[in-house]
Amino acid sequence: MNSISTALFPRSPSLAAIGRRRLLSESPFFIPPWYWRYAKKSSLRLNPMASISTDAEKPQKPWLLVGLGNPGKRFSGTRHNVGFELIDYIAEAEGIAISTVSFKSAFGKGFIGDVPVMLAKPQTFMNASGESVGALVSYYKIPLDQVLVMFDDMDLPFAKLRLLPKGGHGGHNGMRSIINHFKGSRDFPRLRIGIGRPPGKMEGASFVLRPFNREEREELDFTFQNGLEAVRILMQEDFNRSATFVNSAKSLRAL
């Protein structure tokens, strides 16, 4: 058959060719011709063989919960160490052992609900807290919005809690050190624990190293219960719900 007759009367596909096309179209790996036409025009350049991933398949980054204080018996039970005490309270309630020393911190890993957490109490003394916290964040690649720092605050009434998404150091040397090691970033949440103002003309440096009396200790233990619940809400729900709970919680004295 010459070229003119071929153009007018194109050859019909053989039975073998029809069979091959049918097998291809029924194959799970068959990519239809329309896909390539679409992909050529589309800027997305879709990959039909790529598996669809979900957020559930991605490993969940842990939260780092840090309590600030000074190591050693001399400072145990003082106002400057309420961050340490709240971390210990959370650890006991959630069954997390703070039994190792890592990156200059007393350190433990566990879960709050189904959320992985790491609990840390820097052992560098308050003014150098950032050395420990900065190293932990860098090594474990923890996003700053998942670093919750708990510390004492003289600007809050005694046993009052305040949860904030970010902020400055407010004159607190431990927070100042952490911000410096975060390259100046203040974008991390913090739970402030009120210890009240020093009486009379007492200097702040002396006041923060004073222990609590019996009445203050009872009220502080009640505050730690609220702090634990706030952390649970933060882990299981979201920041706003936790902040609403914290900022509306009443003290033991008010109740």
Side-chain angles (χ1 to χ4, degrees):
M1 185 179 293
N2 57 33
S3 59
I4 296 177
S5 59
T6 302
L8 293 175
F9 304 99
R11 294 179 181 179
S12 300
S14 67
L15 293 177
I18 294 174
R20 284 196 299 271
R21 291 178 186 176
R22 182 174 298 172
L23 286 173
L24 282 173
S25 64
E26 293 175 355
S27 168
F29 301 103
F30 174 68
I31 302 173
W34 60 261
Y35 167 78
W36 301 112
R37 291 194 297 270
Y38 172 77
K40 187 175 181 180
K41 296 178 181 179
S42 173
S43 60
L44 297 177
R45 297 295 187 266
L46 300 177
N47 180 1
M49 306 304 294
S51 60
I52 299 174
S53 61
T54 64
D55 291 339
E57 295 172 351
K58 297 178 182 178
Q60 186 175 8
K61 288 286 186 180
W63 274 79
L64 176 62
L65 310 183
V66 181
L68 300 187
N70 286 308
K73 293 183 178 180
R74 175 188 172 190
F75 302 101
S76 179
T78 62
R79 297 169 191 272
H80 219 20
N81 273 35
V82 290
F84 274 13
E85 292 194 38
L86 181 51
I87 284 289
D88 287 336
Y89 191 94
I90 293 170
E92 182 177 358
E94 298 295 340
I96 301 173
I98 303 179
S99 55
T100 63
V101 176
S102 183
F103 297 99
K104 300 180 181 180
S105 274
F107 188 73
K109 294 181 180 181
F111 289 84
I112 295 180
D114 59 352
V115 177
V117 298
M118 297 186 294
L119 308 184
K121 298 190 298 181
Q123 302 296 294
T124 57
F125 287 96
M126 183 70 79
N127 293 4
S129 299
E131 294 179 12
S132 170
V133 179
L136 284 167
V137 168
S138 176
Y139 182 81
Y140 289 102
K141 296 180 173 57
I142 302 173
L144 291 190
D145 61 1
Q146 288 184 205
V147 180
L148 176 64
V149 182
M150 311 171 197
F151 62 99
D152 58 293
D153 194 329
M154 288 194 299
D155 292 330
L156 281 180
F158 179 76
K160 178 69 176 177
L161 297 176
R162 185 72 70 207
L163 180 64
L164 298 171
K166 59 183 178 179
H169 54 71
H172 193 284
N173 287 331
M175 290 296 288
R176 190 197 309 271
S177 176
I178 291 173
I179 290 172
N180 287 341
H181 280 79
F182 285 171
K183 299 180 180 179
S185 176
R186 304 179 178 191
D187 297 335
F188 58 95
R190 67 280 314 278
L191 183 60
R192 298 160 56 195
I193 308 167
I195 59 172
R197 300 297 302 178
K201 296 182 179 181
M202 179 182 291
E203 293 184 358
S206 299
F207 177 68
V208 297
L209 298 181
R210 288 182 62 180
F212 301 102
N213 60 38
R214 183 176 179 179
E215 181 181 347
E216 288 173 332
R217 175 56 63 185
E218 290 177 355
E219 189 165 0
L220 193 62
D221 288 343
F222 181 80
T223 297
F224 287 163
Q225 293 179 24
N226 287 337
L228 169 63
E229 184 61 26
V231 169
R232 285 172 172 169
I233 296 172
L234 179 59
M235 301 294 103
Q236 297 295 312
E237 299 185 49
D238 57 40
F239 181 89
N240 289 336
R241 287 185 177 88
S242 182
T244 298
F245 169 80
V246 168
N247 299 338
S248 62
K250 295 186 180 298
S251 66
L252 179 62
R253 189 176 304 176
L255 295 174

